[in-house]
Amino acid sequence: MIKVCGMRDIENINHLQELDIDFMGIIRYSKSKRFVDDSQKEKVAQQTMNKGTVGVYVNESLENILKDFIPLQLDVIQLHGDEDSAFAKALLEIDIKIFKAFQITENFDFNSLKEWEELAAQYVGKLFFLFDTATPNYGGSGKKFNWSILDSYKGEVPFLLSGGISNKDAYAIKEFKHKMFLGVDLNSKFETEPGVKNIEEIKTFIEKLRK
């Protein structure tokens, strides 16, 4: 699975939709460099999305998330902050899929995910993890964490790999082995500026990865 996050420019979105990706992310977190504000949201809402669309939120209210759901044609909600499993359950109860992000440090305790794993077992195929590089700004650092840390993850919830992935990592990703590895989340390393992706670079990456 390939997810491209931080989309905002309409022309860029339309070009990305021509590529062999699975999801694109729209960031609705005001402190992000790739924030889609309400006026931009209206423009995005006018587009026909032919890929899965992910709304990315950081410690947002349930009410505001639900306001975006229909206009942005969201298929998945990405919870990228400090949300607890009860908050996620409220979304799952109304049949919304979730990517839950966790910030991975050198000494990350995977036992802390137990309640999330239990929730995923209740909603099979609805809740997935996203492992990102730890940063005070909840992602977007452009830095990789040490992927070998994930050897300690023995859970049964599939995950996306995120954090500083670039074109140079395609072959390493092909060699990355973990039974729960679902795919990758691409962002800043494929940008010409925040919120604008280099389509040719993503196309090259996909070709390397799919080969």
Side-chain angles (χ1 to χ4, degrees), residues 145-161:
F145 65 90
N146 181 357
W147 297 349
S148 66
I149 295 168
L150 299 180
D151 292 344
S152 300
Y153 173 55
K154 308 298 183 185
E156 297 293 324
V157 181
F159 66 86
L160 288 171
L161 187 61

Side-chain angles (χ1 to χ4, degrees), residues 36-38 74 109 127 210:
V36 171
D37 63 26
D38 286 343
L74 300 180
D109 180 12
L127 173 61
R210 305 280 199 209

Side-chain angles (χ1 to χ4, degrees), residues 4 8 14 16 26 37 53 62 74 79 86 104 108 121 164 177 185:
V4 180
R8 181 168 59 194
N14 289 331
L16 184 69
I26 307 293
D37 63 26
T53 308
L62 192 64
L74 300 180
L79 301 177
I104 304 301
F108 188 84
K177 306 297 180 191
D185 181 28

Side-chain angles (χ1 to χ4, degrees), residues 31-53:
K31 292 183 181 177
S32 169
K33 294 177 188 173
R34 300 157 188 90
F35 173 52
V36 171
D37 63 26
D38 286 343
S39 65
Q40 291 162 331
K41 171 188 162 181
E42 288 181 16
K43 293 175 185 175
V44 173
Q46 292 167 13
Q47 305 306 301
T48 300
M49 296 297 191
N50 61 26
K51 304 295 180 185
T53 308

